[in-house]
Amino acid sequence: MMGPLLYLGALVVLFLLWVRVKGLDYVLVHQRWLFVCLFLLPLSVLFDVYYYLRAWLIFQMCSAPKQHQQRVRDVQRQVREWKKEGGKTHMCTGRPGWLTVSLRVGKYKKTNKNIMINMMDILEVDTQRQVVRVEPLVNMGQITALLNSMGWTLPVLPELDDLTVGGLIMGTGIESSSHIYGLFQHICVAFELVLADGSLVRCTEEENSDLFHAVPWSCGTLGFLVAAEIKIVPARCWVRLQYEPIRGLENICRRFTEASKDKNNTFVEGLQYSLDEAVIMTGTMTDTAEPDKINRIGLHYKPWFFKHVESYLSKNQQAVEYIPLRHYYHRHTRSIFWELQDIIPFGNHPVFRWLFGWMVPPKISLLKLTQGETIRQLYEQHHVVQDMLVPMKHINTAITRFHQDIQVYPLWLCPFILPPGRGMVHPKGEEAELYVDIGAYGEPRVKHFQAKASCRQLEQFVREVHGFQMLYADVYMERSEFWEMFDGTLYQRLRKELACHGAFPEVYDKICKAARH
């Protein structure tokens, strides 16, 4: 027993000596996979175990609702104290910036008054009303673990485990069922907020309706979200998923549009591997599965999903698989879509998957915390993480522009229906319109790529076709351009009525690079 321990100890000592000689910055930049595999993966597992057990115990003991009222009063107390002290600075949540899934580093946390909002519990599952009531820091991993075990699910359940309800409401969220249900905000039926004066307000489609419509995309600049009620629907055991490889951009756009308009498809998604090669996936929920076609893609030793999908393109054949519902919901989680291949280049190797795949992925929050200024600048200048939402009728032109301006592959294609409304994001006309989210995550292959200039070109195109840019990413627009893309009519009126100007920064000042210092 002592032999292996001594050998392991010697390896650790040699590694630490190597780090000392080379310098920690060198290791973090040039050999980041070492740091991620040796430290961040084990830490990520501990984080997950702690939060899962905590959430399970609290829900089983039914203590969350009682504690929730006290936590709301504590938020109100902090806001009133800020007001009593003269309200000299803006307020923001006290959650550290590195804990968010967004890659953006928000410097406003250091200068604004931090209001601590430790609210991460599922409060109630009401199967009669078909609603789940949750606190803002509840994440998608928690929700699927609980709801699926009860035979329920969210109509729109965004992909990554660590995405929180608060982030998906104050920002936005999307999934392959959005062509039926819309964005995450469209499955919400009620929000509870603490406003700038410390009062608690509940808003729905019927009660405080203007505020209900203005909250989504506002990024916490109208009040502090303390609870939300979200629709739930009955869940099935399996997703019957059909893979369809397609070549030729015209064929890809035509088939993807057809599949997105077909409401018989519960799920629609496309992965585009080059300008003229893609795999389109359509799925339905079912309680039965053909045994020889079952694929439990969420198991740690399975290939990363985007690589598995690509295999159908190389074989040029259609196929059908049955995937467990929860595995399907988090199919891109293990590889963080395809971002993990840049951090752990050998992460999809069968040996690594079998031995260490159960620890993957590292927490995005820990990656942010340990990236350092050098890596952050490298990512900013040589890496793209963007989601652009454009009308489906412009999908062909949009994919071509992505190819010309950044040339990042794979591209994630996710359709969604955008109903008319009066908030920041709605279609140009008075009728619902089909849109597509084009997600680009990776290193651009164009030789002329310049982070600011190239992204501004894409932003201009998106504005021209009446599209929208997700605000978790780097936004390079000027103020006038931002409010050309988003409808600020209702938002600005409510900020005035609710005395938000001295309490919260405007959404543009909070998220856009041109406004941040």
Side-chain angles (χ1 to χ4, degrees), residues 272-298:
Q272 184 140 355
Y273 293 91
S274 71
L275 183 60
D276 57 1
E277 292 181 313
V279 178
I280 293 174
M281 290 156 280
T282 54
T284 54
M285 281 197 281
T286 176
D287 284 324
T288 57
E290 300 174 48
D292 61 331
K293 294 182 179 179
I294 290 174
N295 185 4
R296 302 179 188 276
I297 58 172

PDB file of all heavy atoms in Angstrom, residues 272-298:
ATOM      1  N   GLN A 272     -24.246  22.415 -37.216  1.00  0.00           N
ATOM      2  CA  GLN A 272     -23.666  22.680 -38.527  1.00  0.00           C
ATOM      3  C   GLN A 272     -22.147  22.604 -38.418  1.00  0.00           C
ATOM      4  O   GLN A 272     -21.519  23.344 -37.669  1.00  0.00           O
ATOM      5  CB  GLN A 272     -24.095  24.058 -39.034  1.00  0.00           C
ATOM      6  CG  GLN A 272     -23.615  24.353 -40.433  1.00  0.00           C
ATOM      7  CD  GLN A 272     -24.659  25.070 -41.271  1.00  0.00           C
ATOM      8  OE1 GLN A 272     -25.785  25.270 -40.832  1.00  0.00           O
ATOM      9  NE2 GLN A 272     -24.297  25.430 -42.484  1.00  0.00           N
ATOM     10  N   TYR A 273     -21.555  21.686 -39.192  1.00  0.00           N
ATOM     11  CA  TYR A 273     -20.118  21.403 -39.072  1.00  0.00           C
ATOM     12  C   TYR A 273     -19.275  22.123 -40.114  1.00  0.00           C
ATOM     13  O   TYR A 273     -18.047  22.175 -39.988  1.00  0.00           O
ATOM     14  CB  TYR A 273     -19.890  19.892 -39.142  1.00  0.00           C
ATOM     15  CG  TYR A 273     -20.457  19.171 -37.940  1.00  0.00           C
ATOM     16  CD1 TYR A 273     -21.761  18.684 -37.937  1.00  0.00           C
ATOM     17  CD2 TYR A 273     -19.703  19.013 -36.781  1.00  0.00           C
ATOM     18  CE1 TYR A 273     -22.288  18.047 -36.838  1.00  0.00           C
ATOM     19  CE2 TYR A 273     -20.219  18.378 -35.662  1.00  0.00           C
ATOM     20  CZ  TYR A 273     -21.515  17.898 -35.687  1.00  0.00           C
ATOM     21  OH  TYR A 273     -22.032  17.272 -34.589  1.00  0.00           O
ATOM     22  N   SER A 274     -19.886  22.661 -41.142  1.00  0.00           N
ATOM     23  CA  SER A 274     -19.215  23.501 -42.133  1.00  0.00           C
ATOM     24  C   SER A 274     -20.309  24.288 -42.842  1.00  0.00           C
ATOM     25  O   SER A 274     -21.502  24.123 -42.536  1.00  0.00           O
ATOM     26  CB  SER A 274     -18.409  22.661 -43.127  1.00  0.00           C
ATOM     27  OG  SER A 274     -19.271  21.943 -43.993  1.00  0.00           O
ATOM     28  N   LEU A 275     -19.933  25.118 -43.797  1.00  0.00           N
ATOM     29  CA  LEU A 275     -20.930  25.944 -44.480  1.00  0.00           C
ATOM     30  C   LEU A 275     -22.012  25.101 -45.154  1.00  0.00           C
ATOM     31  O   LEU A 275     -23.165  25.518 -45.224  1.00  0.00           O
ATOM     32  CB  LEU A 275     -20.245  26.843 -45.513  1.00  0.00           C
ATOM     33  CG  LEU A 275     -21.146  27.815 -46.268  1.00  0.00           C
ATOM     34  CD1 LEU A 275     -21.841  28.793 -45.313  1.00  0.00           C
ATOM     35  CD2 LEU A 275     -20.353  28.572 -47.327  1.00  0.00           C
ATOM     36  N   ASP A 276     -21.656  23.908 -45.605  1.00  0.00           N
ATOM     37  CA  ASP A 276     -22.645  23.101 -46.337  1.00  0.00           C
ATOM     38  C   ASP A 276     -22.819  21.695 -45.783  1.00  0.00           C
ATOM     39  O   ASP A 276     -23.241  20.787 -46.485  1.00  0.00           O
ATOM     40  CB  ASP A 276     -22.280  23.034 -47.827  1.00  0.00           C
ATOM     41  CG  ASP A 276     -20.880  22.477 -48.060  1.00  0.00           C
ATOM     42  OD1 ASP A 276     -20.213  22.120 -47.060  1.00  0.00           O
ATOM     43  OD2 ASP A 276     -20.467  22.397 -49.225  1.00  0.00           O
ATOM     44  N   GLU A 277     -22.515  21.489 -44.492  1.00  0.00           N
ATOM     45  CA  GLU A 277     -22.710  20.176 -43.859  1.00  0.00           C
ATOM     46  C   GLU A 277     -23.342  20.350 -42.479  1.00  0.00           C
ATOM     47  O   GLU A 277     -22.851  21.138 -41.667  1.00  0.00           O
ATOM     48  CB  GLU A 277     -21.384  19.433 -43.708  1.00  0.00           C
ATOM     49  CG  GLU A 277     -20.754  19.006 -45.018  1.00  0.00           C
ATOM     50  CD  GLU A 277     -19.458  18.247 -44.777  1.00  0.00           C
ATOM     51  OE1 GLU A 277     -18.642  18.724 -43.968  1.00  0.00           O
ATOM     52  OE2 GLU A 277     -19.275  17.176 -45.386  1.00  0.00           O
ATOM     53  N   ALA A 278     -24.412  19.622 -42.237  1.00  0.00           N
ATOM     54  CA  ALA A 278     -25.094  19.719 -40.946  1.00  0.00           C
ATOM     55  C   ALA A 278     -25.825  18.425 -40.647  1.00  0.00           C
ATOM     56  O   ALA A 278     -26.082  17.605 -41.534  1.00  0.00           O
ATOM     57  CB  ALA A 278     -26.073  20.893 -40.941  1.00  0.00           C
ATOM     58  N   VAL A 279     -26.152  18.240 -39.377  1.00  0.00           N
ATOM     59  CA  VAL A 279     -27.035  17.156 -38.948  1.00  0.00           C
ATOM     60  C   VAL A 279     -28.221  17.797 -38.234  1.00  0.00           C
ATOM     61  O   VAL A 279     -28.040  18.584 -37.300  1.00  0.00           O
ATOM     62  CB  VAL A 279     -26.331  16.161 -38.003  1.00  0.00           C
ATOM     63  CG1 VAL A 279     -27.315  15.076 -37.549  1.00  0.00           C
ATOM     64  CG2 VAL A 279     -25.136  15.527 -38.683  1.00  0.00           C
ATOM     65  N   ILE A 280     -29.419  17.495 -38.709  1.00  0.00           N
ATOM     66  CA  ILE A 280     -30.637  18.021 -38.100  1.00  0.00           C
ATOM     67  C   ILE A 280     -31.280  16.912 -37.281  1.00  0.00           C
ATOM     68  O   ILE A 280     -31.451  15.781 -37.761  1.00  0.00           O
ATOM     69  CB  ILE A 280     -31.602  18.548 -39.172  1.00  0.00           C
ATOM     70  CG1 ILE A 280     -30.982  19.781 -39.838  1.00  0.00           C
ATOM     71  CG2 ILE A 280     -32.960  18.910 -38.561  1.00  0.00           C
ATOM     72  CD1 ILE A 280     -31.760  20.304 -41.012  1.00  0.00           C
ATOM     73  N   MET A 281     -31.624  17.234 -36.038  1.00  0.00           N
ATOM     74  CA  MET A 281     -32.208  16.250 -35.124  1.00  0.00           C
ATOM     75  C   MET A 281     -33.628  16.648 -34.752  1.00  0.00           C
ATOM     76  O   MET A 281     -33.878  17.807 -34.412  1.00  0.00           O
ATOM     77  CB  MET A 281     -31.345  16.129 -33.865  1.00  0.00           C
ATOM     78  CG  MET A 281     -29.994  15.469 -34.102  1.00  0.00           C
ATOM     79  SD  MET A 281     -28.765  15.940 -32.871  1.00  0.00           S
ATOM     80  CE  MET A 281     -28.259  17.545 -33.491  1.00  0.00           C
ATOM     81  N   THR A 282     -34.526  15.700 -34.822  1.00  0.00           N
ATOM     82  CA  THR A 282     -35.913  15.905 -34.404  1.00  0.00           C
ATOM     83  C   THR A 282     -36.270  14.820 -33.404  1.00  0.00           C
ATOM     84  O   THR A 282     -35.875  13.658 -33.574  1.00  0.00           O
ATOM     85  CB  THR A 282     -36.871  15.844 -35.605  1.00  0.00           C
ATOM     86  OG1 THR A 282     -36.657  14.612 -36.310  1.00  0.00           O
ATOM     87  CG2 THR A 282     -36.642  17.011 -36.547  1.00  0.00           C
ATOM     88  N   GLY A 283     -37.004  15.191 -32.360  1.00  0.00           N
ATOM     89  CA  GLY A 283     -37.305  14.227 -31.307  1.00  0.00           C
ATOM     90  C   GLY A 283     -38.706  14.358 -30.756  1.00  0.00           C
ATOM     91  O   GLY A 283     -39.341  15.414 -30.847  1.00  0.00           O
ATOM     92  N   THR A 284     -39.192  13.267 -30.180  1.00  0.00           N
ATOM     93  CA  THR A 284     -40.471  13.250 -29.470  1.00  0.00           C
ATOM     94  C   THR A 284     -40.285  12.472 -28.177  1.00  0.00           C
ATOM     95  O   THR A 284     -39.445  11.558 -28.099  1.00  0.00           O
ATOM     96  CB  THR A 284     -41.575  12.573 -30.313  1.00  0.00           C
ATOM     97  OG1 THR A 284     -41.122  11.265 -30.708  1.00  0.00           O
ATOM     98  CG2 THR A 284     -41.906  13.393 -31.541  1.00  0.00           C
ATOM     99  N   MET A 285     -41.062  12.820 -27.159  1.00  0.00           N
ATOM    100  CA  MET A 285     -41.025  12.074 -25.898  1.00  0.00           C
ATOM    101  C   MET A 285     -41.896  10.824 -26.005  1.00  0.00           C
ATOM    102  O   MET A 285     -42.962  10.851 -26.618  1.00  0.00           O
ATOM    103  CB  MET A 285     -41.495  12.950 -24.737  1.00  0.00           C
ATOM    104  CG  MET A 285     -40.429  13.919 -24.227  1.00  0.00           C
ATOM    105  SD  MET A 285     -40.783  14.598 -22.585  1.00  0.00           S
ATOM    106  CE  MET A 285     -41.984  15.858 -22.976  1.00  0.00           C
ATOM    107  N   THR A 286     -41.441   9.749 -25.365  1.00  0.00           N
ATOM    108  CA  THR A 286     -42.175   8.489 -25.404  1.00  0.00           C
ATOM    109  C   THR A 286     -41.895   7.688 -24.133  1.00  0.00           C
ATOM    110  O   THR A 286     -40.857   7.898 -23.481  1.00  0.00           O
ATOM    111  CB  THR A 286     -41.779   7.664 -26.649  1.00  0.00           C
ATOM    112  OG1 THR A 286     -42.448   6.414 -26.610  1.00  0.00           O
ATOM    113  CG2 THR A 286     -40.285   7.431 -26.701  1.00  0.00           C
ATOM    114  N   ASP A 287     -42.803   6.780 -23.795  1.00  0.00           N
ATOM    115  CA  ASP A 287     -42.606   5.925 -22.614  1.00  0.00           C
ATOM    116  C   ASP A 287     -42.020   4.563 -22.961  1.00  0.00           C
ATOM    117  O   ASP A 287     -41.713   3.767 -22.080  1.00  0.00           O
ATOM    118  CB  ASP A 287     -43.940   5.731 -21.870  1.00  0.00           C
ATOM    119  CG  ASP A 287     -44.321   6.958 -21.064  1.00  0.00           C
ATOM    120  OD1 ASP A 287     -43.409   7.606 -20.523  1.00  0.00           O
ATOM    121  OD2 ASP A 287     -45.523   7.278 -20.983  1.00  0.00           O
ATOM    122  N   THR A 288     -41.883   4.282 -24.251  1.00  0.00           N
ATOM    123  CA  THR A 288     -41.343   2.986 -24.668  1.00  0.00           C
ATOM    124  C   THR A 288     -40.140   3.202 -25.582  1.00  0.00           C
ATOM    125  O   THR A 288     -40.023   4.238 -26.238  1.00  0.00           O
ATOM    126  CB  THR A 288     -42.401   2.159 -25.421  1.00  0.00           C
ATOM    127  OG1 THR A 288     -42.866   2.909 -26.552  1.00  0.00           O
ATOM    128  CG2 THR A 288     -43.582   1.846 -24.507  1.00  0.00           C
ATOM    129  N   ALA A 289     -39.256   2.227 -25.615  1.00  0.00           N
ATOM    130  CA  ALA A 289     -38.059   2.329 -26.438  1.00  0.00           C
ATOM    131  C   ALA A 289     -37.718   0.969 -27.030  1.00  0.00           C
ATOM    132  O   ALA A 289     -37.945  -0.071 -26.404  1.00  0.00           O
ATOM    133  CB  ALA A 289     -36.888   2.837 -25.603  1.00  0.00           C
ATOM    134  N   GLU A 290     -37.190   0.997 -28.237  1.00  0.00           N
ATOM    135  CA  GLU A 290     -36.690  -0.229 -28.856  1.00  0.00           C
ATOM    136  C   GLU A 290     -35.344  -0.569 -28.210  1.00  0.00           C
ATOM    137  O   GLU A 290     -34.401   0.223 -28.310  1.00  0.00           O
ATOM    138  CB  GLU A 290     -36.535  -0.032 -30.361  1.00  0.00           C
ATOM    139  CG  GLU A 290     -37.831   0.324 -31.073  1.00  0.00           C
ATOM    140  CD  GLU A 290     -37.607   0.647 -32.544  1.00  0.00           C
ATOM    141  OE1 GLU A 290     -36.913  -0.147 -33.215  1.00  0.00           O
ATOM    142  OE2 GLU A 290     -38.110   1.698 -33.005  1.00  0.00           O
ATOM    143  N   PRO A 291     -35.232  -1.720 -27.546  1.00  0.00           N
ATOM    144  CA  PRO A 291     -34.027  -2.031 -26.747  1.00  0.00           C
ATOM    145  C   PRO A 291     -32.716  -1.915 -27.517  1.00  0.00           C
ATOM    146  O   PRO A 291     -31.706  -1.468 -26.967  1.00  0.00           O
ATOM    147  CB  PRO A 291     -34.279  -3.482 -26.303  1.00  0.00           C
ATOM    148  CG  PRO A 291     -35.761  -3.624 -26.321  1.00  0.00           C
ATOM    149  CD  PRO A 291     -36.241  -2.779 -27.470  1.00  0.00           C
ATOM    150  N   ASP A 292     -32.709  -2.282 -28.798  1.00  0.00           N
ATOM    151  CA  ASP A 292     -31.461  -2.253 -29.555  1.00  0.00           C
ATOM    152  C   ASP A 292     -31.090  -0.860 -30.046  1.00  0.00           C
ATOM    153  O   ASP A 292     -30.035  -0.681 -30.675  1.00  0.00           O
ATOM    154  CB  ASP A 292     -31.547  -3.222 -30.742  1.00  0.00           C
ATOM    155  CG  ASP A 292     -32.671  -2.857 -31.706  1.00  0.00           C
ATOM    156  OD1 ASP A 292     -33.674  -2.274 -31.247  1.00  0.00           O
ATOM    157  OD2 ASP A 292     -32.545  -3.144 -32.907  1.00  0.00           O
ATOM    158  N   LYS A 293     -31.936   0.137 -29.756  1.00  0.00           N
ATOM    159  CA  LYS A 293     -31.648   1.506 -30.199  1.00  0.00           C
ATOM    160  C   LYS A 293     -31.487   2.474 -29.026  1.00  0.00           C
ATOM    161  O   LYS A 293     -31.478   3.685 -29.202  1.00  0.00           O
ATOM    162  CB  LYS A 293     -32.761   2.002 -31.121  1.00  0.00           C
ATOM    163  CG  LYS A 293     -32.836   1.231 -32.448  1.00  0.00           C
ATOM    164  CD  LYS A 293     -33.929   1.779 -33.352  1.00  0.00           C
ATOM    165  CE  LYS A 293     -33.982   1.013 -34.671  1.00  0.00           C
ATOM    166  NZ  LYS A 293     -35.059   1.507 -35.552  1.00  0.00           N
ATOM    167  N   ILE A 294     -31.355   1.932 -27.826  1.00  0.00           N
ATOM    168  CA  ILE A 294     -31.180   2.781 -26.641  1.00  0.00           C
ATOM    169  C   ILE A 294     -29.738   3.281 -26.565  1.00  0.00           C
ATOM    170  O   ILE A 294     -28.787   2.523 -26.755  1.00  0.00           O
ATOM    171  CB  ILE A 294     -31.550   2.010 -25.365  1.00  0.00           C
ATOM    172  CG1 ILE A 294     -33.070   1.775 -25.305  1.00  0.00           C
ATOM    173  CG2 ILE A 294     -31.080   2.760 -24.121  1.00  0.00           C
ATOM    174  CD1 ILE A 294     -33.516   0.905 -24.148  1.00  0.00           C
ATOM    175  N   ASN A 295     -29.586   4.576 -26.308  1.00  0.00           N
ATOM    176  CA  ASN A 295     -28.261   5.174 -26.139  1.00  0.00           C
ATOM    177  C   ASN A 295     -28.282   6.100 -24.928  1.00  0.00           C
ATOM    178  O   ASN A 295     -28.857   7.190 -24.978  1.00  0.00           O
ATOM    179  CB  ASN A 295     -27.853   5.960 -27.396  1.00  0.00           C
ATOM    180  CG  ASN A 295     -26.426   6.492 -27.296  1.00  0.00           C
ATOM    181  OD1 ASN A 295     -25.714   6.220 -26.328  1.00  0.00           O
ATOM    182  ND2 ASN A 295     -26.008   7.253 -28.296  1.00  0.00           N
ATOM    183  N   ARG A 296     -27.667   5.661 -23.856  1.00  0.00           N
ATOM    184  CA  ARG A 296     -27.616   6.471 -22.621  1.00  0.00           C
ATOM    185  C   ARG A 296     -26.416   7.420 -22.718  1.00  0.00           C
ATOM    186  O   ARG A 296     -25.361   7.198 -22.117  1.00  0.00           O
ATOM    187  CB  ARG A 296     -27.520   5.557 -21.401  1.00  0.00           C
ATOM    188  CG  ARG A 296     -28.682   4.579 -21.301  1.00  0.00           C
ATOM    189  CD  ARG A 296     -28.557   3.659 -20.092  1.00  0.00           C
ATOM    190  NE  ARG A 296     -29.556   2.614 -20.118  1.00  0.00           N
ATOM    191  CZ  ARG A 296     -30.812   2.729 -19.685  1.00  0.00           C
ATOM    192  NH1 ARG A 296     -31.218   3.887 -19.165  1.00  0.00           N
ATOM    193  NH2 ARG A 296     -31.658   1.729 -19.750  1.00  0.00           N
ATOM    194  N   ILE A 297     -26.619   8.496 -23.480  1.00  0.00           N
ATOM    195  CA  ILE A 297     -25.509   9.383 -23.831  1.00  0.00           C
ATOM    196  C   ILE A 297     -24.942  10.155 -22.639  1.00  0.00           C
ATOM    197  O   ILE A 297     -23.856  10.711 -22.733  1.00  0.00           O
ATOM    198  CB  ILE A 297     -25.936  10.395 -24.917  1.00  0.00           C
ATOM    199  CG1 ILE A 297     -27.128  11.221 -24.433  1.00  0.00           C
ATOM    200  CG2 ILE A 297     -26.232   9.703 -26.224  1.00  0.00           C
ATOM    201  CD1 ILE A 297     -27.478  12.361 -25.341  1.00  0.00           C
ATOM    202  N   GLY A 298     -25.665  10.182 -21.522  1.00  0.00           N
ATOM    203  CA  GLY A 298     -25.182  10.916 -20.367  1.00  0.00           C
ATOM    204  C   GLY A 298     -24.176  10.146 -19.526  1.00  0.00           C
ATOM    205  O   GLY A 298     -23.580  10.714 -18.603  1.00  0.00           O
TER     206      GLY A 298
END
